[in-house]
Structure formats: C-alpha cells, structure tokens
C-alpha cells in the first residue's frame, strides 16, 4: 500500500491527496500578507478560519510557510521565521488535517516537529548543515524538492542538458543521503520543484517526464498552482490561474503525482472527485 510516514500519523496515498498552501509571509505572491497583522505577527482567527475551510474542502495536509521562496525574495532570520510559523503549527493542531512546515532551516525544523508538525517541506532538499541530524532525531515526513541555484537568482539563467535526468538524479542522490543518515525512505517524498530554477520548457518537460520521478520508489508531490508557467501559457495574473492550474495538476496525477500542492483546495478536490469516479470505471486503470 502506498503511504508516507509522518510522525505519529501516516498519510494514505492510495488516492491522490491535496496539500493546501497557507503562507504566513508578508510578500507571498498570491495571498500577500493577508494572514499577518501590521507588526508582522500571524493573525490567529483569520488563519484558523482559512485553515479550517481548506480542511473542510478536502485538504489532507496544510503547508505553512514563513520564508518566502519567491524569486528575489529577502532572506528571513531564523527567529523571525519561528515567530511566524510555530504559533500557527500549534493553533492548527486542533484541526483534522496533517501539518506541513515549509522551511530550509534545521532550527525551524526541530521546533516545528516539537510543536506537532507532521511533515517538513524543504525546497532545499535537506542540504543545509545540520538538517539531516534534526530529521534523524524526529519522525516527521520529509518532502525533498529540486531547485537549481537559490531563490534570489535561480530564474536568471536556468540551464540543463537533460532536465528530467538531472532532476531525477539529484533527488536519487538526496534520498541516498537521507538513507545513509538513518532516515527511512518510508518518510520521504520527492518533488520536481516546478519554477525553481526552470524555464517554461524545463517545467513542461518535467511534468511530461514525471514517471522518471515515480521510478525513484517514493511518492511524488507537484506544485504548479498559480505559478508563472501557468501565467505564461494563459496570459492571466495569479488570481486568474485557477482553472489552468487544475489542468496541469490533473495531468501531473495522470503521470503519477500523489500529492498536489495548491492554493485552491475546493476547486482541485472537485476536479479530483470527477477524475477518481471516471478512473474507478476504467477497466484499463
Ligand atoms: C513565489 C514563487 C512565491 C513561488 C511562492 C512560490 C513549492 C513549494 C513553493 C513546490 C514544494 C508557490 C511557490 N512551491 N514546495 N514551495 N513544491 N514542495 O507557488 O512546488 O507557492 S513556493
């Protein structure tokens, strides 16, 4: 059976699942700072309401991010990131949904797990010094994402000879590094990192080539929601990218994705319901 171990829980991936994005950064591109007050502190009631709605709409996981990875974004200190993220992890503990924390910092990983986070979503694939040690010392699930370069400069000149082979090779190397550090593969997910040091062509090749990632033997997560590749293909701004994002998400599921990281939970879950109903009748499925 396909599942991923996430601390005291396990996430069943027999059917594709949805992760709702909850950004607690002042500069996130599609929900810019609505969840922070004037002093930059997270607003409990607004966040709980938004999170409860995503859980009700069908999200199995919520991803809390306090460190913007927007191309060119300002770096955030560890203390500032903890102040934003840790209270949110605790507030969401009362909801019936798994909690993911989007961070690259080992200190934030440690405290997030202590506060009850089930999954660490690391766009840097645990390459920070000390990250593997922290993860060895707890039992949270881990999403390893591919990124070429770093957020400030990654979109300047992305370059690959064979993007699918290089991304799959990188993720295979990171899975081995975690295994060598004593971290079970049953805790791991991989993610091609759509838009992270990639041109439109690279993103399209990765979506078409997802089977090379499922071949790594761990579940695959994909985030295309409202991203600039959707804007480039449709000419729409972030809020107008919902439907086209779902087209890309369903394509990713068709190619083997198990978790969709999205802003529009209700819409994506509706699309998946239809997808599953048809698939259940398909003798070739
Ligand atoms: C600006 C640009 C703001 C890009 C936010 C983003 C992913 C992720 C993000 C993903 C995993 C966004 C991204 N994207 N984590 N974090 N996979 N695992 O669109 O694709 O939310 S941040």
């Amino acid at each position: 059976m396909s599942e991923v171990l996430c601390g005291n829980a396990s996430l069943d991936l027999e059917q594709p699942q949805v992760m709702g994005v909850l950004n607690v950064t002042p500069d996130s591109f599609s929900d810019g700072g609505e969840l922070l007050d004037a002093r930059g502190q997270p607003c409990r009631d607004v966040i709980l309401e938004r999170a409860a709605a995503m859980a009700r709409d069908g999200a199995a996981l919520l991803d809390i991010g306090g460190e913007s990875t927007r191309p060119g974004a300002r770096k955030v200190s560890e203390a500032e990131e903890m102040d934003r993220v840790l209270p949110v992890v605790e507030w969401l503990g009362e909801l019936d949904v798994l909690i993911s924390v989007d961070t690259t910092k080992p200190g934030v990983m440690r405290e997030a797990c202590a506060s009850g986070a089930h999954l660490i979503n690391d766009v840097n694939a645990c390459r920070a010094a000390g990250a593997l040690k922290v993860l060895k010392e707890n039992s949270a699930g881990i999403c390893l994402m591919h990124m070429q370069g770093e957020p400030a400069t990654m979109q300047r000149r992305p370059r690959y000879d064979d993007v699918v082979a290089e991304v799959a090779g990188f993720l295979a190397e990171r899975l081995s590094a975690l295994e060598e550090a004593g971290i079970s593969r049953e805790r791991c997910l991989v993610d091609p990192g759509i838009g992270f040091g990639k041109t439109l062509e690279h993103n399209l090749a990765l979506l078409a080539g997802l089977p090379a990632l499922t071949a790594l033997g761990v579940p695959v997560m994909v985030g295309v929601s409202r991203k600039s590749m959707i804007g480039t293909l449709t000419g729409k701004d972030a809020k107008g990218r919902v439907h086209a994002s779902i087209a890309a998400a369903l394509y990713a599921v068709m190619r083997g994705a198990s978790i969709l990281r999205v802003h529009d939970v209700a819409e994506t879950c509706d699309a998946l319901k239809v997808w599953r109903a048809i698939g259940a009748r398909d003798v070739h499925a």
Side-chain angles (χ1 to χ4, degrees), residues 78-96:
E78 183 171 281
E80 193 179 347
E81 196 181 329
M82 286 198 197
D83 284 349
R84 286 185 195 156
V85 165
L86 299 179
V88 181
V89 174
E90 282 171 23
W91 300 334
L92 300 196
E94 63 186 68
L95 301 177
D96 184 22

Side-chain angles (χ1 to χ4, degrees), residues 39-236:
R39 295 178 355 269
Q41 292 304 300
C43 308
R44 183 175 185 279
D45 294 352
V46 187
I47 288 172
L48 260 176
E49 198 177 290
R50 179 85 60 96
M54 285 186 180
R56 218 183 307 120
D57 289 341
L61 292 144
L62 298 181
D63 191 37
I64 307 165
E67 170 191 54
S68 181
T69 41
R70 176 208 293 269
R74 171 181 87 76
K75 285 208 170 125
V76 174
S77 77
E78 183 171 281
E80 193 179 347
E81 196 181 329
M82 286 198 197
D83 284 349
R84 286 185 195 156
V85 165
L86 299 179
V88 181
V89 174
E90 282 171 23
W91 300 334
L92 300 196
E94 63 186 68
L95 301 177
D96 184 22
V97 65
L98 299 187
I99 306 303
S100 161
V101 171
D102 190 336
T103 189
T104 61
K105 297 186 182 72
V108 178
M109 293 176 187
R110 185 188 343 98
E111 296 308 313
C113 290
S115 301
H118 299 93
L119 185 92
I120 298 297
N121 174 25
D122 184 355
V123 300
N124 203 29
C126 304
R127 286 178 291 170
L132 295 182
K133 181 168 184 291
V134 167
L135 292 167
K136 164 74 181 157
E137 287 164 1
N138 63 59
S139 58
I142 303 149
C143 180
L144 300 167
M145 198 196 79
H146 176 272
M147 167 165 62
Q148 184 182 80
E150 44 186 287
T153 52
M154 65 189 176
Q155 288 307 102
R156 259 181 221 166
R157 251 177 192 286
R159 227 205 77 85
Y160 302 83
D161 290 319
D162 179 341
V163 67
V164 175
E166 285 171 51
V167 169
F170 169 85
L171 294 171
E173 182 274 317
R174 295 313 299 152
L175 283 170
S176 300
L178 268 69
E179 205 156 39
E180 260 167 54
I183 299 163
S184 162
R185 274 193 179 228
E186 293 180 295
R187 294 169 57 189
C188 297
L189 300 164
V190 294
D191 185 323
I194 297 298
F196 285 81
K198 282 134 193 142
T199 64
L200 173 61
E201 277 307 314
H202 296 142
N203 292 324
L204 297 174
L206 282 166
L207 288 168
L210 275 187
L213 300 196
T214 59
L216 297 172
V218 302
V220 173
M221 173 146 94
V222 170
V224 285
S225 179
R226 302 188 190 174
K227 282 191 177 168
S228 75
M229 72 164 272
I230 304 295
T232 305
L233 292 170
T234 61
K236 300 281 174 66

